[in-house]
């Protein structure tokens, strides 16, 4: 919520702002907020990716129990080289930045925060008057408007944007698996990484990267009427979550993996079930391909669409299917 001037809510209540807000025209001196919104997710991507890459090459024995796959599987099973992956991700970041330069305005529109809070108070007044006296309402109305404006509404915007991104990515991701043309020519690129790793999280065909990731985030920002600074936080968070979902570790102390069931292990099933069934069943793996390719489409935040649309698969589901197939072959 950017502004160019400080206002007042009323003669008695000077406008105060929460700790997260800054009246400065730019969060970082000398860097426009729209440029920061474009640069920050890229910095976040490579920072977290390099952190996990450091873990990959650290040789620390205590990490082995948290690896989803053995280290050698990355080189033996993946069909894309690390150079190919890095170049593809750099290309996506270039496309993402170009879209952002067109999408995000150079400066946020001036906002009169006092006027906005007055509008909230006026909207609530008829409803609140049923519950409290006019005298009491006058005393608490500024505080209610304040907390709604500075905390409840931004939180609702952020959660709504997460829902939009999840919805956009679920149905487009699923379509790219169901439609053979889309899978063959676009989405199959991402699945060249049978064993995901952090800096390969945005290894996509450029068309898919534009539609699934860049455009989806832009639509979420637009539909929720976010300011540039709010959008910056959203873009950073969704980027970190996407990288973490491909990190290759199931870490019980990772907050991004604790926030929901949609984590690195969950998304790994989407990449791995096909192979696991093929190994378990030998040459008889036709049905395994169908199972693996049509599960766990949800990304990057929650799993509700997989649950609603009955496309969710857990490690327990895999074991039960293996047991069932083993009994059939005996």
């Amino acid at each position: 919520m950017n502004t160019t001037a400080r206002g007042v809510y009323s003669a008695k209540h000077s406008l105060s702002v929460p700790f997260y807000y800054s009246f400065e025209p730019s969060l970082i001196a000398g860097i426009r907020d729209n440029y920061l919104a474009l640069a920050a997710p890229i910095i976040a991507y490579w920072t977290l990716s390099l952190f996990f890459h450091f873990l990959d090459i650290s040789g620390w024995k205590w990490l082995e129990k948290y690896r989803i796959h053995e280290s050698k599987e990355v080189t033996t099973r993946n069909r894309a080289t690390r150079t190919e992956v890095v170049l593809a991700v750099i290309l996506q970041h270039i496309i993402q930045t170009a879209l952002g330069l067109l999408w995000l305005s150079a400066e946020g529109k001036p906002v009169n925060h006092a006027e906005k809070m007055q509008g909230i108070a006026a909207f609530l007044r008829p409803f609140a008057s049923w519950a409290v006296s006019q005298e009491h309402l006058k005393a608490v109305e500024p505080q209610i408007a304040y907390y709604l404006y500075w905390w409840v509404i931004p939180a609702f915007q952020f959660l709504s944007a997460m829902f939009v991104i999840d919805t956009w990515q679920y149905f487009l991701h699923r379509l790219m698996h169901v439609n053979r043309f889309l899978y063959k020519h676009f989405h199959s690129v991402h699945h060249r990484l049978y064993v995901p790793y952090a800096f390969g999280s945005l290894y996509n065909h450029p068309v898919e990267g534009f539609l699934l990731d860049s455009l989806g985030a832009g639509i979420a920002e637009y539909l929720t009427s976010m300011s540039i600074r709010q959008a910056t936080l959203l873009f950073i968070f969704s980027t970190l979550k996407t990288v973490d979902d491909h990190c290759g570790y199931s870490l019980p102390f990772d907050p991004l993996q604790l926030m929901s069931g949609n984590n690195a292990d969950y998304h790994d099933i989407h990449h791995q079930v096909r192979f696991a069934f093929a190994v378990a069943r030998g040459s008889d793996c036709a049905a395994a391909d169908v199972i693996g390719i049509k599960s766990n489409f949800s990304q990057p935040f929650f799993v509700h669409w997989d649950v609603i649309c009955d496309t969710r698969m857990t490690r327990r589901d895999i074991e039960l299917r293996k047991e069932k197939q083993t009994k059939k072959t005996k």
Side-chain angles (χ1 to χ4, degrees):
M1 298 179 177
N2 300 342
T3 187
T4 57
R6 185 189 296 261
V8 291
Y9 180 20
S10 68
K12 293 183 179 180
H13 300 280
S14 297
L15 177 64
S16 62
V17 296
F19 72 90
Y20 67 78
Y21 183 81
S22 171
F23 283 103
E24 297 299 322
S26 299
L27 284 177
I28 299 178
I31 302 176
R32 291 180 177 179
D33 282 349
N34 63 318
Y35 293 158
L36 180 63
L38 300 177
I42 297 175
I43 295 171
Y45 183 94
W46 290 109
T47 300
L48 188 57
S49 293
L50 290 174
F51 168 75
F52 281 115
H53 182 64
F54 170 76
L55 296 184
D56 289 340
I57 65 176
S58 66
W60 293 336
K61 297 298 182 182
W62 65 271
L63 273 175
E64 295 301 318
K65 63 181 178 180
Y66 300 118
R67 289 184 186 272
I68 299 175
H69 299 280
E70 296 180 7
S71 300
K72 63 181 181 180
E73 290 187 71
V74 175
T75 56
T76 58
R77 292 179 57 195
N78 286 339
R79 295 184 294 156
T81 67
R82 292 185 182 272
T83 300
E84 290 173 331
V85 170
V86 169
L87 292 177
V89 172
I90 290 174
L91 176 58
Q92 173 151 340
H93 281 155
I94 292 173
I95 296 172
Q96 174 180 303
T97 302
L99 175 65
L101 289 172
L102 295 174
W103 190 283
L104 297 175
S105 60
E107 296 181 3
K109 296 180 180 179
V111 177
N112 187 324
H113 297 303
E115 186 177 273
K116 292 284 187 179
M117 285 189 283
Q118 285 178 334
I120 292 172
F123 175 79
L124 293 176
R125 196 169 296 134
F127 304 98
S129 61
W130 296 345
V132 298
S133 66
Q134 288 294 324
E135 182 177 350
H136 186 60
L137 180 60
K138 289 181 179 178
V140 300
E141 189 179 85
Q143 288 80 11
I144 294 174
Y146 174 90
Y147 285 109
L148 285 174
Y149 182 74
W150 289 110
W151 293 100
V152 177
I153 293 176
F156 179 76
Q157 285 176 294
F158 198 84
L159 291 172
S160 297
M162 291 169 65
F163 175 78
V164 171
I165 290 175
D166 270 357
T167 302
W168 177 269
Q169 293 206 11
Y170 175 86
F171 288 101
L172 186 55
H173 184 194
R174 185 174 181 177
L175 177 63
M176 287 189 172
H177 277 276
V178 173
N179 186 286
R180 292 183 178 181
F181 177 85
L182 293 178
Y183 183 83
K184 179 180 179 181
H185 294 282
F186 301 113
H187 192 56
S188 62
V189 172
H190 183 68
H191 280 273
R192 290 174 184 169
L193 297 182
Y194 283 96
V195 181
Y197 49 84
F199 65 82
S201 56
L202 288 184
Y203 174 61
N204 298 312
H205 188 285
V207 173
E208 178 187 349
F210 170 77
L211 293 175
L212 194 68
D213 297 300
S214 302
L215 187 59
I219 290 173
E221 178 266 338
Y222 175 77
L223 291 179
T224 54
S225 300
M226 284 185 161
S227 69
I228 291 178
R229 294 180 184 181
Q230 287 175 301
T232 302
L233 180 61
L234 174 68
F235 297 159
I236 292 173
F237 184 56
S238 61
T239 297
L240 293 175
K241 187 66 171 64
T242 299
V243 172
D244 196 90
D245 286 349
H246 293 80
C247 71
Y249 292 89
S250 183
L251 300 172
F253 45 81
D254 184 341
L256 292 173
Q257 295 189 23
L258 294 174
M259 63 170 281
S260 79
N262 198 339
N263 50 37
D265 187 65
Y266 184 84
H267 189 67
D268 182 78
I269 292 174
H270 176 71
H271 281 258
Q272 295 301 322
V273 173
R274 162 189 279 186
F275 181 82
F277 273 88
V279 171
R281 299 177 60 188
S283 60
D284 183 21
C285 61
D289 285 348
V290 175
I291 293 170
I293 213 168
K294 293 186 178 180
S295 301
N296 294 13
F297 301 117
S298 291
Q299 57 185 47
F301 300 115
F302 304 108
V303 300
H304 55 277
W305 283 120
D306 274 322
V307 174
I308 293 170
C309 299
D310 196 26
T311 54
R312 185 183 185 187
M313 179 176 284
T314 65
R315 295 291 179 186
R316 179 56 181 162
D317 293 329
I318 296 173
E319 294 304 318
L320 291 175
R321 289 175 184 269
K322 284 183 179 179
E323 291 174 7
K324 186 180 295 185
Q325 292 302 327
T326 301
K327 290 179 181 179
K328 286 182 179 181
T329 57
K330 287 182 177 180

